[in-house]
Amino acid sequence: QVQLVESGGRLVKAGDSLRLSCAASGGTFSSYAMGWFRQAPGKEREFVLAISWNGGITYYVDSVKGRFTISRDNAKNTVYLQMNSLKPEDTALYYCAATNLNPAGPFAVEPGEYDYWGQGTQVTVSS
């Protein structure tokens, strides 16, 4: 059983940067691919990006390419989401998730394909 705890979300202005962290405990963190999802009010949870078990491969949706970066530190059991040039449409509750499915890619992009979830951290971007 893996427990995930996100942190770092807060209110920022458009154009600002923010780094989210997701700390894992229990299980073998390095055996999982990790993903970040987000859910805006009234919308479905959507995939944002993922990283392979060793950090060697990443996958991003087009809307965040060039602005968001995912990384991980297996020694610290932590995955990060660096968000730059934030836009109001990035406002959402951000979740990290772990999956045993294809830890080296190709990545799972559906919420149902992930085994463990954090509680989420709120990111609000004002215009």
Side-chain angles (χ1 to χ4, degrees):
Q1 191 78 7
V2 176
Q3 292 80 45
L4 302 173
V5 178
E6 303 94 337
S7 62
R10 60 184 178 91
L11 173 64
V12 295
K13 296 180 180 179
D16 284 354
S17 296
L18 196 61
R19 189 175 83 157
L20 306 183
S21 299
C22 172
S25 59
T28 304
F29 178 70
S30 60
S31 67
Y32 294 93
M34 298 297 296
W36 284 96
F37 288 74
R38 64 186 180 185
Q39 188 166 16
K43 296 187 177 181
E44 294 186 353
R45 192 170 300 188
E46 66 169 352
F47 171 82
V48 183
L49 21 56
I51 189 166
S52 62
W53 69 275
N54 64 351
I57 304 172
T58 57
Y59 177 68
Y60 303 75
V61 295
D62 288 344
S63 61
V64 304
K65 281 182 180 177
R67 301 189 300 122
F68 290 12
T69 304
I70 186 172
S71 61
R72 68 189 296 164
D73 185 339
N74 286 346
K76 296 182 178 180
N77 289 351
T78 302
V79 62
Y80 304 98
L81 173 56
Q82 177 67 43
M83 303 185 291
N84 299 327
S85 302
L86 281 160
K87 304 175 181 180
E89 51 263 43
D90 294 319
T91 294
L93 189 60
Y94 282 74
Y95 298 90
C96 70
T99 180
N100 280 309
L101 183 64
N102 299 334
F107 295 108
V109 297
E110 296 296 332
E113 296 176 305
Y114 283 76
D115 304 293
Y116 304 103
W117 291 84
Q119 293 301 306
T121 185
Q122 179 66 40
V123 173
T124 303
V125 184
S126 64
S127 57

